Amino acid sequence: MPFRRYMEMALYEPGHGYYVNGLHKFGQAGDFTTAPEQGALFGTALAGWLDGLSASLDLDEREDWTLLELGPGSGALARTLLETMERPPRRMLLLEPSAALREVQRETLAALPESLARRVEWIDRPPDAAFDGAIIGNEVIDALPVERIRVEPSGPLREVLEIDARGPRWAGRAIDPTADRESDRRADRQADRQAAARLAEAIARLEADLDAPLGEGYRTEVCVDLPDWLRTVTAPLRRGAVVLADYGYPRREYYHPDRSDGTLVCQYRHRAHFDPLVWPGLTDLSAFVDFTAVADGLIDSGLELAGFTTQAGFLLGSGLLDRLGAVEDERERLRLAGEFKRLALPGEMGEKFKLIAATRDAAAPLAAFELADHRGRL
């Protein structure tokens, strides 16, 4: 099977996939810690930005707007936003297909006062009805299944999982949209041909955007589902903004000659490894994000690129240091300073993580993105 299909099963197969099997994922007891699990600072900065956005929408009632969070994780970000925003949304939609993760999120949000808790609604697909407001996602795109490719003298090969007497192994297969193997079912053949065609087009586009072709032996990933996914999740937004945070690079840095073994990483109990065949369903699989592809996808979805910056730039541009300086309790100030360092220092999350924003018929507040404006790198 193609790597993309393997990754999809390892993460989302009903009852067994990593995100649906009910095992603990987040925080010190899980496999990884995201920015919202560090504390409230990331959510506080984002809350201030969303308050500015909701005010700019100039609705009849300032609270009459909708916030859609994609992949809410533990629910920590949603809780911080609802508790911190001056103008909480009338509806807080949490797009979460996993029943196991919904239970985690319900536990996290259980302490909210009733006036805020009743605004929360779980959905398993983007809403059909259009809304004014915002769409946010933290560490969502990196979990989209990717195709793995490697470049040989014959051209790029699609990585596939083969199982024989020697056990499972990864092999390369030519990217042939016309392939038609008798052993496959008709529906599988059709889906595989479509996926191969999309991959061939994606490789052609990215190589046209690079200074030089990918070299022989180069191994990397391509998220062929990203454009359609962005189009689908942003379609209900009538007026407002989209903000996505994740770890990744602009395209020319992502496909840099020195990054010749790709960016795929596996996480288990806060330890990284690089063999996706180890403990499938128990290990998180993810790939860094090509933010140029994200920008292109947002623009192709009818939005206007409004900002691209590092997580450190966003936090500093949001004025968090001034807020920390105003904290009178010394112990609390030291605790928050430690949290800020983990979020903002280059050796921690500050440069690795980026935020990208796009708008539709709205004037989003840009101060948090202007201190370190990296749109030129895209």
Side-chain angles (χ1 to χ4, degrees):
M1 70 176 72
F3 181 85
R4 178 193 168 281
R5 177 60 181 143
Y6 172 80
M7 183 173 175
E8 182 179 54
M9 293 176 66
L11 295 180
Y12 304 109
E13 186 72 10
H16 302 286
Y18 180 78
Y19 284 110
V20 296
N21 60 20
L23 298 179
H24 198 82
K25 307 288 185 292
F26 308 101
Q28 294 303 314
D31 299 306
F32 53 85
T33 301
T34 65
E37 270 87 43
Q38 299 280 350
L41 287 183
F42 179 83
T44 299
L46 185 56
W49 192 88
L50 291 169
D51 275 329
L53 173 68
S54 67
S56 73
L57 292 176
D58 193 28
L59 302 173
D60 292 338
E61 296 179 10
R62 290 291 177 85
E63 291 78 16
D64 189 18
W65 66 285
T66 297
L67 179 58
L68 167 62
E69 183 177 4
L70 312 171
S74 69
L77 180 57
R79 181 183 62 192
T80 299
L81 292 176
L82 288 170
E83 290 176 337
T84 308
M85 293 177 65
E86 295 179 4
R87 304 180 183 92
R90 182 176 61 84
R91 291 192 308 162
M92 177 82 186
L93 303 180
L94 303 183
L95 199 163
E96 181 55 76
S98 169
L101 287 179
R102 286 189 184 196
E103 288 306 310
V104 174
Q105 293 152 17
R106 285 190 174 96
E107 292 178 10
T108 301
L109 299 173
L112 287 173
E114 176 59 25
S115 61
L116 294 176
R118 64 170 176 252
R119 303 173 189 231
V120 179
E121 177 185 344
W122 277 267
I123 56 177
D124 56 12
R125 63 179 185 179
D128 295 325
F131 64 83
D132 296 332
I135 299 172
I136 60 172
N138 181 63
E139 292 196 47
V140 178
I141 301 176
D142 65 87
L144 294 179
V146 296
E147 293 276 19
R148 290 272 284 176
I149 62 170
R150 71 171 184 257
V151 180
E152 300 298 341
S154 59
L157 300 180
R158 186 185 192 189
E159 200 166 76
V160 297
L161 177 63
E162 293 183 347
I163 301 177
D164 54 26
R166 294 167 294 178
R169 67 187 182 91
W170 294 110
R173 184 176 295 161
I175 302 167
D176 185 2
T178 65
D180 192 0
R181 295 182 297 279
E182 287 297 326
S183 59
D184 293 338
R185 292 177 300 173
R186 179 174 298 177
D188 290 338
R189 292 201 304 266
Q190 178 68 12
D192 192 59
R193 285 197 296 270
Q194 291 173 347
R198 287 194 300 158
L199 178 57
E201 293 172 3
I203 293 173
R205 284 196 304 270
L206 76 87
E207 286 201 314
D209 201 28
L210 300 177
D211 295 327
L214 301 175
E216 183 179 336
Y218 198 93
R219 194 181 192 189
T220 191
E221 314 86 25
V222 179
C223 186
V224 294
D225 294 326
L226 181 60
D228 288 341
W229 182 82
L230 286 170
R231 193 174 300 112
T232 299
V233 299
T234 62
L237 184 67
R238 181 172 48 218
R239 289 194 306 144
V242 179
V243 181
L244 301 169
D246 224 311
Y247 45 90
Y249 311 98
R251 176 165 293 156
R252 294 188 180 188
E253 297 171 33
Y254 191 110
Y255 298 103
H256 191 277
D258 291 342
R259 196 162 283 112
S260 59
D261 201 32
T263 70
L264 186 80
V265 64
C266 314
Q267 291 280 350
Y268 181 77
R269 296 293 184 267
H270 293 275
R271 298 186 182 216
H273 67 88
F274 303 95
D275 186 350
L277 291 177
V278 173
W279 306 313
L282 300 178
T283 299
D284 180 38
L285 307 182
S286 65
F288 279 53
V289 173
D290 173 1
F291 274 102
T292 303
V294 176
D296 290 344
L298 291 169
I299 293 169
D300 290 344
S301 300
L303 292 103
E304 181 179 352
L305 185 65
F308 176 59
T309 190
T310 62
Q311 182 167 287
F314 182 80
L315 297 177
L316 290 168
S318 299
L320 276 190
L321 281 183
D322 293 336
R323 300 186 194 185
L324 294 183
V327 176
E328 295 183 357
D329 183 88
E330 183 177 0
R331 180 173 296 182
E332 177 66 4
R333 188 168 61 251
L334 289 174
R335 185 191 70 78
L336 291 174
E339 180 184 340
F340 183 84
K341 289 178 181 179
R342 291 190 296 274
L343 293 174
L345 285 181
E348 298 281 348
M349 302 173 73
E351 298 296 323
K352 175 181 174 182
F353 284 78
K354 319 290 194 306
L355 285 89
I356 191 166
T359 58
R360 178 176 286 149
D361 295 331
L366 298 180
F369 287 90
E370 289 178 335
L371 180 65
D373 185 353
H374 289 283
R375 282 177 292 178
R377 293 167 60 190
L378 294 170

